[in-house]
Amino acid sequence: MFSDGAQNRAESQLIEENLPERMDAMIKVLLVDDELFVLEQIRRSIDWEKQGLELIGCSENAVEALEQMIDEMPDILITDIKMPIMDGLELIGRAKQMNPSIQCVVLSGYAEFALAKSAMEQGATNYLLKPFSKMEFEAVLQKSSARILEARSAQILKLEQRTKLVEKLVQELQLLKENYEKVDSQKLKTLMKFYPDLSLLRDASLLLLARQKESKKENIEQISELLGAGEDICSVAAKLLEEIWSEDVNESTLVRKIKEYTKQHYHEEGLNLQMLADNVVHMGVKYIGRCFLKETGCKYSEYLMAVRMEKAIRMLTREDYRIEEIAGKIGLGYDVPYFYQLFKKYTGKTPKEYKQGKRKSS
């Protein structure tokens, strides 16, 4: 049982972890360049915190960058154009599929100026010609940050209005509980006629469960069951609100839902943890990432790669597919070099070596 102070802290933490990132959250930046000295020079020369930025990673190639983006999506992607296996143009295209609002900055030499123009056409918002000064780099960062902050500020009013509605709904749910022996789906349907969006019921249930003095963190995960309910959301909510305590299970509802969705949608190129947080479980990306790692022992990117590679292995050994077709069917965009790199990382062998080994053992 919580003391009053501990209860308030726990409630704030649970709410913060399960809602989308705050409007004033640090702007996240990912650097990608196959020249290590360039990465190190940029990393050391910029006072990221002073700029209101968080440098979440420095990747030496696009494949490594994509793997990181599956787990943590940057707001700003800064990438070189010419890189082995996958160039900056393709990386920008894939990043835009994963997060259409991402700000992309291209680094290029004069010889790649035409490629830089192509990158702008594909969605890059700025480019820098090497060599560039610290002042030039910071100016580009400021422009990209301004675009992100402008988009965030446009949501503030909407968020404030929604917060007030959620608080009002919580109060009415508590009154229902006090006035009736059982809160059934019909009572919730009647109540929700006065609200513009059924998803408010999900957020109100989250807040209400967070305020229970004997609430467990697992109770918050039960809210994910509301997401696929559609028109049955009131029925699911009524059940969850009546059954705050649930039987302990080895794997939470949240992680099961993430795994099930991944197994059904592994072929989608834009699949990543941020997309799951925003569109599938509607919880904070850092929270679900921690839950997934704690329960499975691996990051989501590792799990997604395993699902995709196991599907690839089955197609490689049982079906007459070309490598390009396999890459397309598992969500890698028909990208053969990218597929080869991930396959060898997962199995320790090239597809040809793996296939030959299977034939010898059979």
Side-chain angles (χ1 to χ4, degrees):
M1 207 177 237
F2 295 120
S3 67
D4 288 342
Q7 166 64 21
N8 291 336
R9 289 192 298 274
E11 178 185 319
S12 298
Q13 181 181 357
L14 288 169
I15 294 169
E16 181 178 330
E17 287 180 339
N18 284 281
L19 291 176
E21 291 194 34
R22 301 184 315 274
M23 295 300 119
D24 62 345
M26 293 283 277
I27 294 171
K28 294 181 283 190
V29 181
L30 177 63
L31 293 176
V32 189
D33 199 309
D34 61 336
E35 296 179 284
L36 284 175
F37 76 92
V38 174
L39 283 178
E40 189 62 17
Q41 187 178 29
I42 294 174
R43 186 184 70 81
R44 290 187 172 187
S45 64
I46 303 299
D47 187 338
W48 301 98
E49 188 173 350
K50 185 178 179 181
Q51 296 284 333
L53 305 171
E54 177 187 0
L55 182 62
I56 63 172
C58 296
S59 298
E60 297 175 39
N61 58 69
V63 174
E64 182 182 306
L66 283 172
E67 187 172 339
Q68 176 157 356
M69 280 191 276
I70 289 173
D71 286 309
E72 185 172 14
M73 181 61 62
D75 300 295
I76 302 174
L77 170 66
I78 301 173
T79 179
D80 192 15
I81 283 277
K82 296 294 284 287
M83 294 184 290
I85 303 175
M86 183 187 297
D87 64 22
L89 292 179
E90 186 175 350
L91 175 60
I92 288 170
R94 289 179 176 275
K96 283 284 185 181
Q97 282 186 321
M98 297 167 78
N99 177 16
S101 63
I102 192 170
Q103 297 290 307
C104 298
V105 178
V106 171
L107 309 179
S108 70
Y110 282 104
E112 296 93 42
F113 184 70
L115 290 176
K117 288 180 67 178
S118 297
M120 298 293 285
E121 291 169 2
Q122 290 191 24
T125 51
N126 260 303
Y127 70 89
L128 283 168
L129 291 176
K130 297 178 181 178
F132 47 81
S133 68
K134 177 183 175 182
M135 186 179 298
E136 289 173 318
F137 189 82
E138 288 182 339
V140 167
L141 286 177
Q142 288 167 10
K143 285 181 182 177
S144 299
S145 298
R147 291 190 185 100
I148 292 165
L149 293 174
E150 185 179 352
R152 288 182 179 179
S153 64
Q155 300 177 47
I156 290 176
L157 181 59
K158 184 178 179 181
L159 182 62
E160 289 176 347
Q161 292 170 339
R162 185 179 180 87
T163 300
K164 289 178 182 177
L165 284 174
V166 169
E167 285 285 0
K168 182 172 181 289
L169 181 54
V170 163
Q171 294 172 7
E172 296 196 19
L173 287 171
Q174 290 172 323
L175 285 174
L176 276 181
K177 186 68 175 175
E178 291 171 9
N179 295 334
Y180 296 95
E181 185 178 341
K182 182 177 178 60
V183 177
D184 57 27
S185 61
Q186 190 56 50
K187 292 186 180 67
L188 290 182
K189 285 178 183 178
T190 301
L191 176 62
M192 293 309 296
K193 287 179 181 179
F194 300 94
Y195 289 87
D197 187 351
L198 277 176
S199 68
L200 292 166
L201 182 57
R202 180 204 69 227
D203 294 348
S205 299
L206 170 63
L207 187 55
L208 190 59
L209 290 175
R211 289 175 176 173
Q212 296 293 325
K213 287 197 172 183
E214 295 184 351
S215 178
K216 292 180 179 178
K217 186 177 286 187
E218 286 79 3
N219 295 141
I220 306 304
E221 295 165 10
Q222 292 176 14
I223 300 299
S224 63
E225 294 181 15
L226 291 167
L227 304 176
E231 294 182 359
D232 294 330
I233 190 169
C234 291
S235 299
V236 178
K239 180 182 176 184
L240 291 177
L241 292 173
E242 286 295 321
E243 298 176 3
I244 291 175
W245 301 107
S246 63
E247 295 181 3
D248 291 331
V249 292
N250 293 328
E251 194 173 81
S252 67
T253 302
L254 172 65
V255 171
R256 283 202 306 274
K257 190 172 186 69
I258 290 173
K259 284 186 172 182
E260 287 167 6
Y261 189 91
T262 301
K263 288 173 183 176
Q264 293 173 11
H265 298 268
Y266 65 89
H267 57 280
E268 296 177 3
E269 290 183 49
L271 186 58
N272 63 86
L273 201 61
Q274 185 73 58
M275 187 278 285
L276 288 168
D278 292 343
N279 302 309
V280 179
V281 297
H282 297 270
M283 294 181 174
V285 65
K286 290 185 178 180
Y287 173 70
I288 69 171
R290 285 200 300 271
C291 288
F292 195 89
L293 179 61
K294 182 179 179 181
E295 292 188 32
T296 66
C298 68
K299 295 192 295 183
Y300 177 71
S301 58
E302 295 168 336
Y303 176 76
L304 175 59
M305 182 174 71
V307 171
R308 285 174 167 169
M309 290 303 105
E310 289 299 325
K311 297 289 184 182
I313 286 169
R314 282 197 284 275
M315 284 188 276
L316 189 69
T317 55
R318 299 178 189 177
E319 304 287 349
D320 189 24
Y321 285 112
R322 298 195 310 275
I323 295 298
E324 182 181 2
E325 289 178 303
I326 296 175
K329 287 182 177 292
I330 64 170
L332 302 185
Y334 302 94
D335 190 329
V336 174
Y338 185 28
F339 173 78
Y340 267 82
Q341 174 134 345
L342 292 184
F343 191 89
K344 190 162 186 179
K345 181 179 180 180
Y346 184 72
T347 66
K349 300 177 181 179
T350 66
K352 184 177 179 180
E353 289 170 344
Y354 190 92
K355 202 166 185 177
Q356 287 175 342
K358 281 290 183 181
R359 284 172 181 169
K360 289 178 183 178
S361 62
S362 58

mmCIF file of all heavy atoms in Angstrom, residues 40-63:
data_model
loop_
_atom_site.group_PDB
_atom_site.id
_atom_site.type_symbol
_atom_site.label_atom_id
_atom_site.label_comp_id
_atom_site.label_asym_id
_atom_site.label_seq_id
_atom_site.Cartn_x
_atom_site.Cartn_y
_atom_site.Cartn_z
ATOM 1 N N GLU A 40 32.528 11.631 -34.767
ATOM 2 C CA GLU A 40 33.127 12.036 -33.494
ATOM 3 C C GLU A 40 33.286 13.555 -33.434
ATOM 4 O O GLU A 40 33.053 14.174 -32.391
ATOM 5 C CB GLU A 40 34.489 11.351 -33.329
ATOM 6 C CG GLU A 40 35.115 11.522 -31.960
ATOM 7 C CD GLU A 40 34.288 10.914 -30.837
ATOM 8 O OE1 GLU A 40 33.387 10.087 -31.122
ATOM 9 O OE2 GLU A 40 34.528 11.270 -29.667
ATOM 10 N N GLN A 41 33.662 14.166 -34.549
ATOM 11 C CA GLN A 41 33.830 15.615 -34.580
ATOM 12 C C GLN A 41 32.507 16.332 -34.325
ATOM 13 O O GLN A 41 32.455 17.293 -33.546
ATOM 14 C CB GLN A 41 34.408 16.031 -35.937
ATOM 15 C CG GLN A 41 34.783 17.509 -36.010
ATOM 16 C CD GLN A 41 35.405 17.868 -37.346
ATOM 17 O OE1 GLN A 41 35.120 17.257 -38.359
ATOM 18 N NE2 GLN A 41 36.272 18.880 -37.349
ATOM 19 N N ILE A 42 31.441 15.852 -34.956
ATOM 20 C CA ILE A 42 30.125 16.470 -34.747
ATOM 21 C C ILE A 42 29.659 16.252 -33.313
ATOM 22 O O ILE A 42 29.175 17.171 -32.648
ATOM 23 C CB ILE A 42 29.096 15.892 -35.736
ATOM 24 C CG1 ILE A 42 29.442 16.278 -37.167
ATOM 25 C CG2 ILE A 42 27.688 16.390 -35.391
ATOM 26 C CD1 ILE A 42 28.563 15.622 -38.218
ATOM 27 N N ARG A 43 29.817 15.013 -32.840
ATOM 28 C CA ARG A 43 29.355 14.674 -31.486
ATOM 29 C C ARG A 43 30.003 15.565 -30.436
ATOM 30 O O ARG A 43 29.344 16.056 -29.515
ATOM 31 C CB ARG A 43 29.656 13.215 -31.189
ATOM 32 C CG ARG A 43 29.084 12.720 -29.854
ATOM 33 C CD ARG A 43 29.495 11.291 -29.561
ATOM 34 N NE ARG A 43 30.911 11.187 -29.256
ATOM 35 C CZ ARG A 43 31.459 11.452 -28.072
ATOM 36 N NH1 ARG A 43 30.692 11.873 -27.071
ATOM 37 N NH2 ARG A 43 32.754 11.331 -27.882
ATOM 38 N N ARG A 44 31.319 15.813 -30.571
ATOM 39 C CA ARG A 44 32.053 16.566 -29.558
ATOM 40 C C ARG A 44 31.888 18.077 -29.692
ATOM 41 O O ARG A 44 31.997 18.799 -28.697
ATOM 42 C CB ARG A 44 33.541 16.218 -29.627
ATOM 43 C CG ARG A 44 33.855 14.808 -29.156
ATOM 44 C CD ARG A 44 35.345 14.596 -29.080
ATOM 45 N NE ARG A 44 35.693 13.326 -28.467
ATOM 46 C CZ ARG A 44 36.932 12.955 -28.160
ATOM 47 N NH1 ARG A 44 37.942 13.767 -28.436
ATOM 48 N NH2 ARG A 44 37.173 11.788 -27.609
ATOM 49 N N SER A 45 31.652 18.558 -30.897
ATOM 50 C CA SER A 45 31.656 20.008 -31.115
ATOM 51 C C SER A 45 30.347 20.685 -30.711
ATOM 52 O O SER A 45 30.324 21.892 -30.474
ATOM 53 C CB SER A 45 31.950 20.309 -32.593
ATOM 54 O OG SER A 45 30.922 19.804 -33.423
ATOM 55 N N ILE A 46 29.267 19.926 -30.614
ATOM 56 C CA ILE A 46 27.959 20.529 -30.327
ATOM 57 C C ILE A 46 27.579 20.342 -28.865
ATOM 58 O O ILE A 46 27.694 19.239 -28.316
ATOM 59 C CB ILE A 46 26.866 19.913 -31.228
ATOM 60 C CG1 ILE A 46 27.204 20.073 -32.709
ATOM 61 C CG2 ILE A 46 25.506 20.527 -30.912
ATOM 62 C CD1 ILE A 46 27.330 21.501 -33.170
ATOM 63 N N ASP A 47 27.132 21.415 -28.229
ATOM 64 C CA ASP A 47 26.573 21.323 -26.879
ATOM 65 C C ASP A 47 25.089 20.978 -27.049
ATOM 66 O O ASP A 47 24.227 21.860 -27.145
ATOM 67 C CB ASP A 47 26.743 22.653 -26.143
ATOM 68 C CG ASP A 47 26.340 22.559 -24.675
ATOM 69 O OD1 ASP A 47 25.552 21.638 -24.328
ATOM 70 O OD2 ASP A 47 26.789 23.388 -23.877
ATOM 71 N N TRP A 48 24.797 19.684 -27.114
ATOM 72 C CA TRP A 48 23.460 19.215 -27.465
ATOM 73 C C TRP A 48 22.409 19.693 -26.470
ATOM 74 O O TRP A 48 21.326 20.143 -26.865
ATOM 75 C CB TRP A 48 23.459 17.688 -27.562
ATOM 76 C CG TRP A 48 24.418 17.172 -28.577
ATOM 77 C CD1 TRP A 48 25.684 16.700 -28.369
ATOM 78 C CD2 TRP A 48 24.218 17.120 -30.004
ATOM 79 N NE1 TRP A 48 26.274 16.349 -29.562
ATOM 80 C CE2 TRP A 48 25.396 16.585 -30.572
ATOM 81 C CE3 TRP A 48 23.149 17.457 -30.844
ATOM 82 C CZ2 TRP A 48 25.543 16.395 -31.940
ATOM 83 C CZ3 TRP A 48 23.283 17.262 -32.201
ATOM 84 C CH2 TRP A 48 24.463 16.744 -32.750
ATOM 85 N N GLU A 49 22.736 19.591 -25.191
ATOM 86 C CA GLU A 49 21.755 19.982 -24.172
ATOM 87 C C GLU A 49 21.439 21.468 -24.252
ATOM 88 O O GLU A 49 20.288 21.879 -24.108
ATOM 89 C CB GLU A 49 22.286 19.628 -22.784
ATOM 90 C CG GLU A 49 21.261 19.817 -21.673
ATOM 91 C CD GLU A 49 21.737 19.305 -20.334
ATOM 92 O OE1 GLU A 49 22.792 18.631 -20.288
ATOM 93 O OE2 GLU A 49 21.061 19.585 -19.332
ATOM 94 N N LYS A 50 22.447 22.281 -24.508
ATOM 95 C CA LYS A 50 22.241 23.714 -24.632
ATOM 96 C C LYS A 50 21.336 24.032 -25.811
ATOM 97 O O LYS A 50 20.561 24.998 -25.779
ATOM 98 C CB LYS A 50 23.592 24.423 -24.804
ATOM 99 C CG LYS A 50 23.498 25.937 -24.814
ATOM 100 C CD LYS A 50 24.878 26.562 -24.938
ATOM 101 C CE LYS A 50 24.792 28.087 -24.967
ATOM 102 N NZ LYS A 50 26.141 28.702 -25.103
ATOM 103 N N GLN A 51 21.406 23.219 -26.847
ATOM 104 C CA GLN A 51 20.568 23.406 -28.031
ATOM 105 C C GLN A 51 19.151 22.841 -27.835
ATOM 106 O O GLN A 51 18.309 22.934 -28.732
ATOM 107 C CB GLN A 51 21.210 22.707 -29.234
ATOM 108 C CG GLN A 51 22.551 23.266 -29.664
ATOM 109 C CD GLN A 51 22.433 24.577 -30.417
ATOM 110 O OE1 GLN A 51 21.424 24.843 -31.054
ATOM 111 N NE2 GLN A 51 23.450 25.423 -30.328
ATOM 112 N N GLY A 52 18.908 22.239 -26.657
ATOM 113 C CA GLY A 52 17.601 21.626 -26.402
ATOM 114 C C GLY A 52 17.447 20.292 -27.100
ATOM 115 O O GLY A 52 16.334 19.861 -27.407
ATOM 116 N N LEU A 53 18.586 19.609 -27.335
ATOM 117 C CA LEU A 53 18.586 18.368 -28.095
ATOM 118 C C LEU A 53 19.162 17.219 -27.286
ATOM 119 O O LEU A 53 19.954 17.418 -26.360
ATOM 120 C CB LEU A 53 19.420 18.538 -29.380
ATOM 121 C CG LEU A 53 19.027 19.696 -30.309
ATOM 122 C CD1 LEU A 53 20.060 19.857 -31.406
ATOM 123 C CD2 LEU A 53 17.647 19.455 -30.903
ATOM 124 N N GLU A 54 18.761 16.013 -27.657
ATOM 125 C CA GLU A 54 19.322 14.800 -27.063
ATOM 126 C C GLU A 54 19.880 13.935 -28.198
ATOM 127 O O GLU A 54 19.143 13.495 -29.076
ATOM 128 C CB GLU A 54 18.244 14.014 -26.309
ATOM 129 C CG GLU A 54 18.754 12.702 -25.725
ATOM 130 C CD GLU A 54 17.646 11.854 -25.134
ATOM 131 O OE1 GLU A 54 16.468 12.275 -25.173
ATOM 132 O OE2 GLU A 54 17.963 10.747 -24.643
ATOM 133 N N LEU A 55 21.197 13.732 -28.181
ATOM 134 C CA LEU A 55 21.824 12.877 -29.193
ATOM 135 C C LEU A 55 21.627 11.426 -28.768
ATOM 136 O O LEU A 55 22.240 10.957 -27.823
ATOM 137 C CB LEU A 55 23.310 13.198 -29.319
ATOM 138 C CG LEU A 55 24.088 12.403 -30.382
ATOM 139 C CD1 LEU A 55 23.538 12.675 -31.768
ATOM 140 C CD2 LEU A 55 25.568 12.734 -30.317
ATOM 141 N N ILE A 56 20.750 10.705 -29.467
ATOM 142 C CA ILE A 56 20.418 9.339 -29.039
ATOM 143 C C ILE A 56 21.319 8.284 -29.658
ATOM 144 O O ILE A 56 21.270 7.129 -29.258
ATOM 145 C CB ILE A 56 18.948 8.998 -29.348
ATOM 146 C CG1 ILE A 56 18.672 9.030 -30.854
ATOM 147 C CG2 ILE A 56 18.008 9.912 -28.589
ATOM 148 C CD1 ILE A 56 17.307 8.517 -31.236
ATOM 149 N N GLY A 57 22.147 8.677 -30.642
ATOM 150 C CA GLY A 57 23.038 7.682 -31.216
ATOM 151 C C GLY A 57 23.862 8.209 -32.370
ATOM 152 O O GLY A 57 23.515 9.199 -33.008
ATOM 153 N N CYS A 58 24.991 7.524 -32.614
ATOM 154 C CA CYS A 58 25.865 7.788 -33.759
ATOM 155 C C CYS A 58 26.059 6.457 -34.479
ATOM 156 O O CYS A 58 26.706 5.555 -33.924
ATOM 157 C CB CYS A 58 27.208 8.353 -33.326
ATOM 158 S SG CYS A 58 27.137 9.971 -32.528
ATOM 159 N N SER A 59 25.506 6.322 -35.664
ATOM 160 C CA SER A 59 25.574 5.057 -36.397
ATOM 161 C C SER A 59 26.543 5.175 -37.560
ATOM 162 O O SER A 59 26.605 6.199 -38.236
ATOM 163 C CB SER A 59 24.194 4.654 -36.919
ATOM 164 O OG SER A 59 23.297 4.460 -35.850
ATOM 165 N N GLU A 60 27.285 4.079 -37.796
ATOM 166 C CA GLU A 60 28.282 4.073 -38.863
ATOM 167 C C GLU A 60 27.692 3.682 -40.208
ATOM 168 O O GLU A 60 28.346 3.816 -41.234
ATOM 169 C CB GLU A 60 29.420 3.101 -38.511
ATOM 170 C CG GLU A 60 30.185 3.498 -37.268
ATOM 171 C CD GLU A 60 31.219 2.453 -36.891
ATOM 172 O OE1 GLU A 60 31.852 1.891 -37.803
ATOM 173 O OE2 GLU A 60 31.376 2.193 -35.688
ATOM 174 N N ASN A 61 26.475 3.153 -40.213
ATOM 175 C CA ASN A 61 25.843 2.788 -41.486
ATOM 176 C C ASN A 61 24.325 2.842 -41.332
ATOM 177 O O ASN A 61 23.797 2.911 -40.217
ATOM 178 C CB ASN A 61 26.299 1.401 -41.951
ATOM 179 C CG ASN A 61 26.002 0.326 -40.928
ATOM 180 O OD1 ASN A 61 24.838 -0.011 -40.688
ATOM 181 N ND2 ASN A 61 27.029 -0.221 -40.296
ATOM 182 N N ALA A 62 23.641 2.797 -42.475
ATOM 183 C CA ALA A 62 22.193 2.947 -42.471
ATOM 184 C C ALA A 62 21.486 1.763 -41.823
ATOM 185 O O ALA A 62 20.436 1.922 -41.203
ATOM 186 C CB ALA A 62 21.696 3.131 -43.907
ATOM 187 N N VAL A 63 22.036 0.568 -41.977
ATOM 188 C CA VAL A 63 21.420 -0.628 -41.392
ATOM 189 C C VAL A 63 21.379 -0.519 -39.879
ATOM 190 O O VAL A 63 20.357 -0.783 -39.233
ATOM 191 C CB VAL A 63 22.176 -1.899 -41.831
ATOM 192 C CG1 VAL A 63 21.633 -3.123 -41.100
ATOM 193 C CG2 VAL A 63 22.074 -2.088 -43.334
#
